[in-house]
Amino acid sequence: MLFMCHQKAMKKEAEDKLKAVEKLRAEELRRARAASEIPVIWILGGPGCGKGTQCAKIVEKYGFTHLSSGDLLRNEVASGSDKGRKLQEIMSTGGLVSNDEVLSLLNDAIVRAKGSSKGFLIDGYPREKNQGVEFEARVAPADLALYFDCSEDTMVQRILARAAASSVKREDDNEKTIRARLQTFRQNTNAILELYEAKTLTINAERDVDDIFLEVVQAIDCVLKKKQQKAAAQC
Ligand code: AP5
Ligand code: MG
């Protein structure tokens, strides 16, 4: 009798364990599905073209997670770490920080937000074509790249106006560094646009913020619709 009770208890324990494993697997599957359904959008364009401005509007409308490579790097600089000091030296020359640094900051932020995010805006990335290749291999494929096309004169004027109006001026918002940032941008951008032509929408960013945003919304709605259709087909 005692033996039978013991066997029953063992059987129940094994069943409970199996149920717990199955529940965990189902949850992992749900998370993996959810992650592939989340849009990943690259936000491209020269310094001061309006990347951050448009991202703020996208966040307001769609509730996406905004990850600006520049902001992540500035946070590291603000921490006062040795790494931050080295990053600051590069950023103040208008050059590009190593992709290992940027990608690991982005990846950490994505992993932290993944469970609750409705979509990711990767602002200021990729800045050279290998960054795009590494991101898609190591993090996730991008669904769309929005490229804000703007003349250099306009970009310079916008940055200088931002610097004049802001109480906390960015270290790289001075004329010499702005010129260097523009040169870095010029050197790398055509190769990115060529490689990712199929998923890039070029938007004229010389217009009013709201007019630009209308085009942004059309593009994002299109991505969301495609994702929904794909998810429905998998059911
Ligand atoms: P980052 O911080 O990304 O700077 P950036 O690319 O130079 O661009 P900004 O942030 O200055 O401008 P924005 O396009 O966001 O424009 P905003 O909306 O603010 O990068 C800084 C540095 O970090 C890089 O130089 C590099 O060293 C490093 N880094 C970053 N990413 C890296 C990467 N992937 N790899 C390696 N290194 C990296 O608008 C500007 C102003 O214009 C605002 O005042 C705004 O109100 C106004 N404005 C915006 N839109 C309009 C409009 N349509 N009409 C009128 N005014 C407008
Ligand atoms: Mg910005």
Side-chain angles (χ1 to χ4, degrees):
M1 181 70 177
L2 195 66
F3 176 69
M4 275 176 67
C5 277
H6 180 64
Q7 265 200 326
K8 255 191 185 172
M10 295 249 293
K11 195 175 164 208
K12 168 101 177 46
E13 198 182 324
E15 280 172 1
D16 286 351
K17 265 189 192 159
L18 195 68
K19 270 187 200 158
V21 169
E22 275 168 5
K23 203 174 156 194
L24 205 68
R25 275 206 197 121
E27 177 60 15
E28 276 173 0
L29 201 66
R30 191 195 64 74
R31 281 211 194 129
R33 281 219 182 112
S36 69
E37 283 158 18
I38 294 173
V40 174
I41 301 173
W42 289 340
I43 307 292
L44 315 176
C49 69
K51 300 184 291 297
T53 304
Q54 292 298 322
C55 282
K57 291 180 77 68
I58 299 170
V59 170
E60 199 181 5
K61 182 168 171 67
Y62 296 95
F64 290 173
T65 307
H66 176 205
L67 299 175
S68 151
S69 51
D71 286 347
L72 291 169
L73 291 165
R74 279 185 289 278
N75 289 345
E76 190 64 48
V77 171
S79 76
S81 65
D82 281 349
K83 194 209 271 184
R85 269 189 287 278
K86 284 179 192 143
L87 294 175
Q88 179 63 70
E89 275 173 29
I90 300 169
M91 289 162 79
S92 61
T93 66
L96 295 183
V97 166
S98 90
N99 191 37
D100 276 350
E101 296 288 357
V102 186
L103 195 52
S104 99
L105 287 169
L106 279 173
N107 196 35
D108 288 353
I110 288 171
V111 168
R112 274 197 301 275
K114 213 165 195 168
S116 57
S117 182
K118 294 180 181 171
F120 288 103
L121 299 172
I122 314 294
D123 166 359
Y125 192 101
R127 289 203 191 221
E128 51 97 14
K129 71 175 183 181
N130 286 333
Q131 290 196 348
V133 174
E134 285 195 37
F135 183 97
E136 294 204 305
R138 285 166 53 186
V139 183
D143 296 289
L144 172 71
L146 294 175
Y147 170 59
F148 295 112
D149 189 19
C150 204
S151 72
E152 294 199 359
D153 281 349
T154 302
M155 292 195 277
V156 174
Q157 278 164 26
R158 285 183 186 171
I159 294 178
L160 292 176
R162 179 180 66 190
S166 166
S167 54
V168 198
K169 195 175 160 224
R170 263 172 55 171
E171 290 272 340
D172 58 351
D173 276 357
N174 58 74
E175 205 139 346
K176 188 172 168 220
T177 313
I178 296 168
R179 294 284 163 207
R181 284 155 68 192
L182 284 169
Q183 199 189 348
T184 305
F185 166 71
R186 239 181 273 130
Q187 276 166 356
N188 296 299
T189 301
N190 281 345
I192 300 174
L193 297 179
E194 270 169 30
L195 183 61
Y196 294 108
E197 192 184 0
K199 61 172 84 177
T200 302
L201 176 70
T202 297
I203 295 180
N204 171 6
E206 293 269 349
R207 297 169 296 157
D208 182 78
V209 170
D210 290 331
D211 290 339
I212 298 168
F213 190 58
L214 283 179
E215 238 181 289
V216 168
V217 166
Q218 278 180 358
I220 294 179
D221 283 350
C222 188
V223 167
L224 291 175
K225 201 170 160 196
K226 276 191 200 150
K227 288 235 162 226
Q228 275 164 5
Q229 284 167 348
K230 205 171 159 194
Q234 278 170 357
C235 286

